[in-house]
Amino acid sequence: MKYTLQLSCLVLMAFATQVKAQQKNTLTLKEAFAEADRTYPGLAERIAAVGEYKIRKKEVQSKSIPQVQLQAQNSYGTFQGSSGAFFPVPGVFNVTGNNSPLGSEVQTTGNTFGSAVVDWKVFEFGKQRKAIDAAEYQAQGAQSSYDAAQLALHAKVSRLYLDIYYSNANLKWAEKNVKRVNQILDLSVSLSLAGLKPGADTALASSAYSQALAVRHEWLGKYEASKASFYEVVPLQDWSLQEQVLDKHENTPTDSVKKDHPYLQVIDKQLRYEKAREQVVSRKIFPSLSILGGVSTRGSGIGKNGITDNGLGSGYQNFANNYLVGIGLSWNISGAYTSSLEKKRSQKTIEGVQAKYNLQKLQMNTSLQALSSRINQQEQLLKESGKAFQKASDAYELYLSRYEGGLINLIELLQIQSLLQTAERENIQAGQNYWNLITAQAEISGDFSYLLNHFN
């Protein structure tokens, strides 16, 4: 008896564990948003763009620090020319020596040179500062693009989530119709065998049953297809829909689009960037003031007495060290005309972006107002379609009893069943249209709280 009880407990535990493993977690819309944000490649691309423009901003900022150039060279060749002290740049061929070498007829010797030059632009009439501002607006624009892509992704996830929900609702609707028609078929068969109804009723009911099965297969395919489409944005396998969702909550409509809406912010940051670029271009006509400095060391095979050594290591002798400091002014006078043309082009670009911003804002506000009106009417349609379905359901039950009692024929009953089927389908479609409008409103207003609270 003891071992029998232990075995029974083990079987019950194993069964409970298996049932728990087969249960699927209910996926809320908020969880679907989080999973899409984490895995969707389109958002990963936007995140990379944000990081790119932040680095670009640092590149622009780095131009304000002193620019240091190092040079080292060792050469071997002739040295006819006059000696002098200057800081050559890479690529300059430098010779040093006397016209009349002493002590020998040597014509070649070694030459070693190394230098470090500092160029620090300390004043550029605001060009550098405006360039940094422009880079900052680019970085903000990349962030706004990410926010806009995330908002569009949430709208897409909502639509696909609702598509699964209502495909499942239509599948259950089709299954209800199969059961109802099957009930009618069984009833017609029993009445026909009893001699109370003609045998043609069985064939007619059988035809209606086959049609109901065909509709069920159609919606089963649509339901599976909707789940496959949803997997693109939310790659989860083991999850289930909520068993029951209330028809609707109290919706608070939004009359106008907020200024910080991501779709508007993308264009706003572009506009700010173009304005900053226009200021950078307008300052190109001004000069740049720099502080210059440098140190150098030079080795040569020519000694102070003029005697020349032509050995391969002769360039590492007779070193001379020098330094140089000064102030430099760079002014591109001929670029003034080009700068004026660039400024005019920038102004036209700004006008175009401003018009684009105004158009986007106008279209979004118009769409939001139109959606508010449609949602109000759709709520009334949803109420009336619900009443129609309830009335048709009550009528069907009465007519089914009348057919069973022989008071009406099968054609009349099938007509009532078709009316009930249509009323229920229209009620489901009205609900789907309502939530699709709510999703569109959430995207344009940038507020998904109503949807998240409902499908939570």
Side-chain angles (χ1 to χ4, degrees):
M1 184 67 180
K2 176 181 179 182
Y3 294 108
T4 303
L5 290 175
Q6 290 179 348
L7 181 62
S8 300
C9 291
L10 289 174
V11 171
L12 288 174
M13 290 175 62
F15 178 75
T17 303
Q18 184 179 5
V19 170
K20 184 176 181 180
Q22 291 177 351
Q23 289 179 347
K24 296 181 179 179
N25 295 324
T26 301
L27 181 68
T28 65
L29 188 58
K30 184 177 181 180
E31 292 171 343
F33 283 0
E35 183 66 18
D37 292 343
R38 188 180 66 86
T39 60
Y40 192 60
L43 282 188
E45 178 188 359
R46 301 290 183 178
I47 292 174
V50 171
E52 174 191 352
Y53 281 103
K54 287 182 178 179
I55 295 175
R56 286 191 181 189
K57 179 186 174 182
K58 292 181 179 180
E59 290 177 355
V60 175
Q61 290 175 328
S62 67
K63 294 181 180 179
S64 62
I65 64 177
Q67 304 299 307
V68 180
Q69 295 182 359
L70 299 177
Q71 179 188 6
Q73 64 184 34
N74 181 263
S75 58
Y76 186 83
T78 60
F79 51 88
Q80 295 294 326
S82 59
S83 60
F86 65 97
F87 293 128
V89 296
V92 174
F93 182 69
N94 176 35
V95 298
T96 182
N98 295 321
N99 290 328
S100 302
L102 302 176
S104 67
E105 296 299 327
V106 176
Q107 298 297 319
T108 59
T109 187
N111 188 2
T112 302
F113 182 80
S115 68
V117 180
V118 178
D119 182 359
W120 185 12
K121 290 182 171 60
V122 294
F123 189 69
E124 294 186 280
F125 290 90
K127 286 185 285 187
Q128 179 67 20
R129 179 167 49 83
K130 293 301 178 182
I132 294 175
D133 290 343
E136 172 63 22
Y137 288 132
Q138 275 191 314
Q140 293 179 8
Q143 181 64 49
S144 297
S145 296
Y146 169 80
D147 295 338
Q150 185 183 47
L151 179 64
L153 177 62
H154 288 176
K156 183 176 181 179
V157 170
S158 300
R159 286 191 291 268
L160 293 175
Y161 186 89
L162 289 170
D163 191 36
I164 295 177
Y165 184 83
Y166 280 100
S167 294
N168 184 56
N170 280 290
L171 177 60
K172 292 181 178 178
W173 160 79
E175 290 174 346
K176 286 181 183 179
N177 290 331
V178 170
K179 291 179 180 179
R180 280 196 294 260
V181 178
N182 185 49
Q183 182 184 16
I184 294 174
L185 176 61
D186 292 341
L187 184 59
S188 65
V189 169
S190 63
L191 292 176
S192 178
L193 292 176
L196 300 177
K197 291 292 181 181
D201 280 8
T202 302
L204 184 59
S206 178
S207 174
Y209 180 69
S210 297
Q211 292 177 354
L213 285 176
V215 173
R216 179 191 177 277
H217 286 300
E218 178 186 7
W219 279 109
L220 179 59
K222 290 182 178 181
Y223 174 62
E224 295 297 332
S226 63
K227 290 196 296 183
S229 298
F230 186 72
Y231 185 79
E232 174 195 348
V233 292
V234 182
L236 294 176
Q237 293 286 357
D238 297 329
W239 62 274
S240 62
L241 292 169
Q242 301 180 67
E243 290 296 329
Q244 184 177 3
V245 178
L246 298 177
D247 289 338
K248 74 180 199 65
H249 289 289
E250 189 66 27
N251 183 23
T252 303
T254 305
D255 297 331
S256 60
V257 180
K258 298 179 180 179
K259 294 181 63 176
D260 60 350
H261 192 286
Y263 291 172
L264 291 179
Q265 284 299 303
V266 170
I267 307 177
D268 179 69
K269 293 304 184 291
Q270 181 185 0
L271 179 62
R272 292 175 182 271
Y273 167 74
E274 294 297 340
K275 289 181 178 180
R277 287 293 304 165
E278 189 267 340
Q279 293 179 345
V280 172
V281 169
S282 64
R283 283 167 169 75
K284 282 186 177 181
I285 61 174
F286 298 112
S288 297
L289 184 64
S290 302
I291 294 178
L292 305 173
V295 293
S296 73
T297 182
R298 175 184 296 176
S300 174
I302 305 175
K304 294 181 179 181
N305 54 7
I307 298 176
T308 305
D309 181 5
N310 65 347
L312 292 178
S314 59
Y316 298 100
Q317 306 174 25
N318 306 311
F319 280 96
N321 302 317
N322 292 279
Y323 70 89
L324 189 68
V325 294
I327 297 177
L329 183 68
S330 301
W331 198 348
N332 186 6
I333 302 296
S334 61
Y337 177 70
T338 304
S339 177
S340 64
L341 293 179
E342 291 181 4
K343 183 177 180 180
K344 291 179 181 179
R345 176 171 56 82
S346 297
Q347 289 173 348
K348 293 299 180 182
T349 303
I350 291 172
E351 292 177 6
V353 177
Q354 181 66 61
K356 181 181 178 181
Y357 178 86
N358 295 337
L359 177 61
Q360 179 75 7
K361 186 176 181 180
L362 176 63
Q363 289 177 339
M364 292 177 67
N365 280 322
T366 303
S367 298
L368 193 59
Q369 293 173 5
L371 282 170
S372 297
S373 299
R374 291 187 61 189
I375 288 172
N376 291 334
Q377 297 304 317
Q378 194 67 28
E379 288 177 353
Q380 300 302 319
L381 174 61
L382 193 58
K383 292 178 181 178
E384 296 302 325
S385 64
K387 293 178 181 178
F389 165 65
Q390 188 60 47
K391 296 293 183 182
S393 180
D394 296 340
Y396 173 76
E397 296 296 333
L398 293 174
Y399 275 88
L400 181 64
S401 300
R402 291 170 64 86
Y403 174 73
E404 189 174 4
L407 299 177
I408 62 172
N409 57 37
L410 180 62
I411 295 179
E412 291 177 304
L413 178 61
L414 289 177
Q415 288 177 343
I416 298 301
Q417 191 275 336
S418 178
L419 176 63
L420 172 60
Q421 178 180 350
T422 302
E424 187 176 8
R425 174 73 182 92
E426 289 180 352
N427 183 245
I428 294 173
Q429 186 62 53
Q432 184 174 11
N433 292 339
Y434 172 80
W435 287 110
N436 284 335
L437 291 173
I438 292 295
T439 301
Q441 183 190 53
E443 181 179 8
I444 295 178
S445 65
D447 184 8
F448 281 86
S449 58
Y450 180 44
L451 271 169
L452 293 175
N453 291 333
H454 188 86
F455 294 95
N456 188 10

